[in-house]
Amino acid sequence: MAMVLSEDQQLLRDSARSFCQDNAPISVMRRLRDEKSELGYDEAIWQQMIELGWPGMAIAEKYGGFEFGYTGLGLVLEETGRTLASSPLIASVLLGASLLSEAGSEEQKSGLLPQVASGKLRLAVGVDEGPHHNPSRVACTAMKQGAEYVLTGAKSFVLDGHIADKLIVAARTSGEPGSENGISLFLLEAGCQGLQIQRTQMVDSRNAANLVLDQVRISEDSLLGSEGAGFAALDAALDIARIGVASEMLGSVQEVFQRIVEYLKQREQFGVQIGAFQALQHRAAEMYSEIELCKSAVLGALRCLDDPSATAKDRARMASLAKAKLSEVSERVSNEGIQMHGGIGMTDEFDIGFFLKRARVAQQFLGDASFHRDRYATLHNF
Amino acid sequence: MLALEQFRDSTRAWLEENCPPSMRTPMVPEEIVWGGRNAVFTNPESKLWLDRMAEKGWTCPTWPAEYGGGGLSSEEAKILAEELARINARIALTSFGISMLGPVLLEYGTHEQKMEHIPKIIRGEIRWCQGYSEPGSGSDLASLGTKAILEGDEYVVNGSKVWTSYADKADWIFCLVRTDFEVPKHSGISFLLFDMKSEGVSTKPIQLISGSSPFCETFFDNVRVPAANLMGRLNEGWSIAKRLLQHERTMISGFGLASGQGDRGGTTSTTASLEGAAMHYRGDKDRLTDPALRDQIAQFKIDSEAFALTSQRSSEESRQGGPNATSSMLKYYGCELNKRRYELFLKAMGSQGLGWEGDEFEAEELQVTREWLRSKANSIEGGTAEVQLNIVAKRVLGLPDMLSLASKK
Ligand SMILES: Cc1cc2nc3c(=O)[nH]c(=O)nc-3n(C[C@H](O)[C@H](O)[C@H](O)COP(=O)(O)OP(=O)(O)OC[C@H]3O[C@@H](n4cnc5c(N)ncnc54)[C@H](O)[C@@H]3O)c2cc1C
Ligand SMILES: Cc1cc2nc3c(=O)[nH]c(=O)nc-3n(C[C@H](O)[C@H](O)[C@H](O)COP(=O)(O)OP(=O)(O)OC[C@H]3O[C@@H](n4cnc5c(N)ncnc54)[C@H](O)[C@@H]3O)c2cc1C
């Protein structure tokens, strides 16, 4: 497993970086926030991302993608994290397309994945039902009635749930909440009868939604994979998304750190640059060390996703490692981002606060540090 | 002893009679009374309570009666505080006049200055703001450059301040100005008091990351201030400034104290206590099932309780001498505790603690998110955490100072 990037990957990263810096800088995010954008991202920028092929980056060629691997997609996400550029990449591609690839039939995949790759179709995935990530705690039920399923229950924190064209929802066909057996995956149209979608405006100015499913009737063709056996595919797709989110967090963490170091060199108090104070120097040097580990954790996890010999358990271990580490370091670095800037760091006019807000949402999303440490321990049999 | 018991009885009786019913319910942010010329009382009983407490001087219980204070001994003040706490009485008046300016005015002001300003602070008639920080002078406060030049019997003030909390709502400012440019920075600073309505004063609110705009940029353009408004002696303002900061820090360190029973004040809601929130948002009944979070919350509460005891010990020990350098330790610790408290609330509440607005969140959930963001300022305002630790290292531990050692070489 190479821990350096290939030439192609470096090129991709460089072009993603200049795209984000030039076309999707943090001022775009501020504008979306001020406009209380319903979408939560900029449509024109998303179209440009589609032209660059980002949605199809990790999708197989036969389904209209570029098969450039998850490492490539991770590099792109890292760059979006530097400028806090939001897009449907996380909900539609990382979660949605991955879940389709993992669970869908040949027909479902060839019908839908090309549309995701070309940006024509936006997906969202509904898993959690409470304020804390817990994918096996599905209580939402799906009852088979003839050739239909009837879904009843609720979903929370469904990223982009209010703008998706189709939603994939985890529901229980048997078993009790907490059990991995009995979870099935269903593909719903956003406008289907009985489905209520309420947008939630989050502190990071991106949007999620709460769903209420009140006797939603769908045909049995909407089942992804086999009944009651959806958890493995779900968890595999979640692992891909967890690693993708960790990549995005890595970009944000590095950006905050870079801003901190620049400020330590620029701001003067007591007649010297504040970076001359060892109290700050050592904390900066510690953060540097932690971020080096973060880079390796994320790259290691991305490589694992692209490694055909890796097992689902290998991927799960790396996903929890990366998400736990990045959640921990991103809390620390985002706090230091405010503290080391002093009063100006607390102002809305200054961008550093946006990183703090995004950090906490990204930390919680798909499991916080504590969730993933616990899962890591379980995966390592202790 | 008998006298104190009598004092307790009469205080209890007076409070029973005079504290209006709604003033015995937990404080809500919109009803905090800051006083001032433009004071708004969203609850009329707040005004009644303020007037009754001010009449007895109990908004400032230990301040001398000759200026309208309560004139209580520290033992009596403690009893009053206990009796107020017993009925969950709200604070009648919150102000920088009480927590910051008043104590130094009593220590350094002339009789005339005390006569003019102290009664208005006690009655909540004048609201004060603090003009210390400048764009180039934050931690290095003593480098400040706002200048005041004596012309006849007036100072002419020019310059600007920044992060001035509530400057747009305040009536008067206590302001650090440079009055001598030829001497080392600490020796040319003076302490001026002036009316924010003076010609040449303007303010511009700055928005915080939490969405509210409590502080301002404050500009002085040829502001004329009567020479009699100088507090203390010319060019000796730095000692007063530092003294005031000790009072400020003692006040801010109170952020570390839990009020009432819970961790967020005496409310009975789901987010009143950390453990309550943690169990509620996990669907736990009588035991918090997440062992990691349980451990962190317990650790926080242990530190929080030990901190409360330390604050109490410190104030009892220093009752004679007033606050001292340990106020830096308390400020540092209290603020770190408050930041920890809110990070734990976020962990307890999961995605419900991360809303910004809208109907999908309860009002109090949105409130927690905003409070979490606001708490990040605690270790910056009133001198940063780093400045407090430097003071502890230098003044309490007597450790050598890098900068001055290096300059001696
Ligand atoms: C909400 C809020 C309300 C405020 N209200 C008021 C008010 O009413 N009136 C008023 O006058 N001011 C007010 N302030 C200003 C506050 O006192 C200053 O922000 C604070 O003193 C820090 O100054 P600065 O912002 O210039 O940061 P800087 O001094 O530039 O500090 C930047 C970073 O460098 C660090 N640093 C600086 N010197 C050292 C050192 N020697 N060793 C180690 N680290 C160091 C700091 O700790 C900080 O982390 C308020 C601030 C906030 C956030
Ligand atoms: C919000 C805030 C609160 C503060 N509270 C306190 C406090 O309670 N107690 C406190 O001691 N400091 C306080 N300071 C100052 C703080 O101690 C300094 O940031 C830090 O200790 C560096 O010291 P200095 O500002 O005195 O400057 P430096 O330039 O570093 O001074 C070097 C040393 O010389 C001394 N010195 C030089 N000339 C004079 C003079 N004319 N008068 C007095 N001292 C002189 C200083 O005290 C210091 O020890 C506060 C600063 C801020 C921003």
Side-chain angles (χ1 to χ4, degrees), chain A residues 25-34 83-84 204-205 354:
Chain A
I26 195 158
S27 55
V28 170
M29 188 261 119
R30 178 181 291 279
R31 173 171 57 75
L32 293 167
R33 194 272 312 254
D34 291 343
T83 64
L84 298 177
D204 64 347
S205 305
F354 286 133

Side-chain angles (χ1 to χ4, degrees), chain B residues 105-133:
Chain B
L105 194 56
L106 288 168
E107 194 174 343
Y108 295 89
T110 61
H111 178 65
E112 290 70 30
Q113 288 170 335
K114 293 181 204 172
M115 285 304 283
E116 180 182 354
H117 298 297
I118 296 287
K120 293 176 189 164
I121 292 174
I122 293 169
R123 295 198 299 263
E125 288 167 6
I126 291 294
R127 182 170 179 178
W128 288 85
C129 66
Q130 176 188 35
Y132 274 34
S133 306

